[in-house]
Amino acid sequence: MFDNLKNRPSHKSLPIEIDLVSYFPNENGQVLVANIVTTPRLQKLFDEVEKLVSRIGFGMTLRTFRPHITLARFKDKRPFSQIMELEEPINSVIGALDVYESSLESGMTKHTLIKTYSFE
C-alpha cells in the first residue's frame, strides 16, 4: 500500500469546503463532525485509496463515503441539543494524505501517524 501511494501521480493541494456541522452517523450519533462537500477531486482520491487498500484486504465497499472532520466524541449524552449553523461555508486546502494506525489501549482508541504523503 505504501509503495503504491508513494508512486501515485502527485496532485497539488486539494481544496475542500465545510458546509455543515452535524452529528455522525445521524442525529442520534455521539460524534460531532464538520461535513466536507464531496468534490470530483476528493472522490477520485478516495476511489484511488479504496482501490489500493482493497487489494490488501481492507476494502470499505459497504460503507458510504462521507468526508468529514471529527470535532468531538461523547461517551454519553451530547452536551448540547442544537448545533450552530454556519453563516457561510468554510474553505480550506488539504496539503497531504496522512495514514494512521488505530489501536485500543486501556479502553481508549489511540491513533498513531505512520506516514504522510504530500500533495506538493
Side-chain angles (χ1 to χ4, degrees), residues 57-69:
F58 291 103
M60 302 181 306
T61 55
L62 297 178
R63 295 185 184 176
T64 302
F65 178 48
R66 294 172 53 181
H68 65 279
I69 299 169

Side-chain angles (χ1 to χ4, degrees), residues 28-117:
N28 296 317
Q30 298 298 105
V31 179
L32 182 68
V33 297
N35 294 301
I36 298 173
V37 175
T38 305
T39 62
R41 281 187 61 200
L42 185 57
Q43 183 67 51
K44 182 178 178 185
L45 176 61
F46 172 81
D47 292 343
E48 290 174 5
V49 172
E50 167 67 14
K51 188 175 178 181
L52 291 174
V53 298
S54 67
R55 286 187 206 156
I56 58 173
F58 291 103
M60 302 181 306
T61 55
L62 297 178
R63 295 185 184 176
T64 302
F65 178 48
R66 294 172 53 181
H68 65 279
I69 299 169
T70 300
L71 302 173
R73 292 182 186 273
F74 309 106
K75 284 186 175 185
D76 300 314
K77 279 185 139 183
R78 297 181 300 242
F80 44 86
S81 60
Q82 291 192 337
I83 299 174
M84 68 173 188
E85 290 191 25
L86 299 176
E87 291 182 20
E88 59 184 60
I90 299 170
N91 294 292
S92 190
V93 294
I94 299 172
L97 172 66
D98 293 334
V99 178
Y100 286 85
E101 176 183 21
S102 298
S103 58
L104 193 61
E105 293 183 13
S106 303
M108 303 277 295
T109 304
K110 178 181 176 186
H111 304 286
T112 305
L113 179 65
I114 298 173
K115 205 160 186 81
T116 297
Y117 297 91

